Amino acid sequence: MSTTTPVSEDTRQHTETAPDATAPAPGEDGSTAVTHTHRDVNGGWLRPAVFGAMDGLVSNLGLMTGVAGSSASPQTVVISGLAGLAAGAFSMAAGEYTSVASQRELVQAELEVERRELRRHPEDEVTELAELYVSRGVDPDLARQVAEQMHRDPEQALEIHAREELGVDPADLPSPTVAAVSSFLSFSVGAIMPVLPYLAGAASLWPAVALALLGLFVCGAVVARVTARPWWFSGLRQLALGGAAAAVTYGLGTAFGVAVG
C-alpha cells in the first residue's frame, strides 16, 4: 500500500507560480526582454581570406588565358601559371607585411605621444576626456566624474584615449607576420586552381577556366555570409567579373600572338 507525502499549501503555491528559469526576464514595463545579435560588419578573417583567394584566382586565370591565347604550348601555360602564383603570393605577402607594419609603427608612435601626455599633463587629459563625453550628451558633472575614474588606472586611461582619439585598441594591434602569411596562403590557394587541371594531365585551357570560374562562384557565395546579398547573386557576380577578365586577357593574348607571329 503506497503512501502520499502531504504537500503544504505554501509549497503547492510556490510550485505552481515559480517562473521558468530559462525564460527571459521581463522589463520594467512588464514586457519580455529580447536580445539580438549583429553580423560581423568587419568580416573578421573570412573576408580577407576569401578576397585573397579571389585575387589569386582572377590574376592567375587572366595570366594563363593570356598566355594560352597567344598559342603557347600547355607546358608554357603551366610554367606561366606557377610563376604567376609564386610572384603574386610573394608580392601580396611583402605588400601586406610592409603595409601592416607601417600602420602598426604609426599607431605605436601615436600611443607613445598619448602616454607621454597622460604622464605630463594628467589634468588636461582628464578635461579633454570629460569634454568628449559632454559632446556626446553626457551631463558635465557626470562626464567629469567618469573621466576622473577612468584616469585612476594609467593603462586604462591610455586605452580609453586611444579608442576615442585614434580609433584603435592598443591591445589588439594587427600583426604584420600574420597578415603576410595569411595573404600568401590565401592567394596561393586561389592561384593554384587554374593550374590544377594541367598538372592532372589536361592539354587545353578550358578545364582550367571551368575550375577557376567554379572557384570564383564559390568564393563569391562565401562572401555573401558577411553581406546582405543572396549567395547566388554574389557568386554569379564574381563569376561574371572573373570571366570577363579572362576573356579580355585571352583576346589580348590572341591579338599579341598574331602580331608577334
Side-chain angles (χ1 to χ4, degrees):
M1 182 176 180
S2 63
T3 60
T4 303
T5 304
V7 180
S8 67
E9 187 65 27
D10 291 340
T11 304
R12 184 181 299 111
Q13 182 178 5
H14 175 75
T15 303
E16 293 173 352
T17 60
D20 183 0
T22 62
E28 293 181 357
D29 59 354
S31 60
T32 301
V34 178
T35 59
H36 66 283
T37 59
H38 292 284
R39 292 186 182 92
D40 181 1
V41 295
N42 293 320
W45 60 269
L46 177 63
R47 186 171 61 178
V50 173
F51 275 109
M54 285 196 292
D55 190 9
L57 265 168
V58 174
S59 62
N60 219 30
L61 176 62
L63 173 63
M64 293 174 64
T65 53
V67 173
S70 65
S71 300
S73 66
Q75 291 80 4
T76 302
V77 176
V78 172
I79 293 173
S80 299
L82 293 175
L85 185 158
F90 280 109
S91 176
M92 286 283 291
E96 279 295 311
Y97 185 91
T98 302
S99 175
V100 174
S102 300
Q103 180 187 11
R104 185 185 179 95
E105 290 164 1
L106 175 60
V107 171
Q108 288 175 333
E110 292 300 314
L111 288 174
E112 187 56 36
V113 171
E114 192 64 37
R115 185 179 285 108
R116 186 167 57 249
E117 289 299 309
L118 287 169
R119 185 173 60 252
R120 293 178 178 178
H121 309 288
E123 189 61 27
D124 292 341
E125 293 297 310
V126 170
T127 301
E128 181 182 30
L129 186 58
E131 290 176 351
L132 188 147
Y133 289 147
V134 170
S135 69
R136 296 183 177 179
V138 180
D139 180 79
D141 292 337
L142 178 59
R144 182 74 186 187
Q145 293 175 11
V146 172
E148 290 176 348
Q149 185 171 355
M150 293 294 183
H151 275 253
R152 292 175 184 172
D153 181 351
E155 289 304 314
Q156 183 183 54
L158 176 64
E159 180 180 343
I160 294 298
H161 280 273
R163 288 177 180 272
E164 297 293 349
E165 298 178 29
L166 303 176
V168 298
D169 182 355
D172 191 28
L173 297 181
S175 167
T177 302
V178 171
V181 172
S182 60
S183 295
F184 182 92
L185 293 177
S186 61
F187 185 94
S188 299
V189 168
I192 194 63
M193 291 190 70
V195 185
L196 288 177
Y198 282 99
L199 296 179
S204 66
L205 176 67
W206 307 117
V209 171
L211 181 60
L213 293 180
L214 176 63
L216 286 170
F217 179 85
V218 172
C219 286
V222 172
V223 169
R225 289 189 55 186
V226 293
T227 67
R229 292 287 188 180
W231 63 271
W232 56 266
F233 176 86
S234 296
L236 289 176
R237 179 175 59 184
Q238 195 58 42
L239 186 151
L241 293 173
V248 170
T249 55
Y250 184 84
L252 291 173
T254 301
F256 291 153
V258 172
V260 172

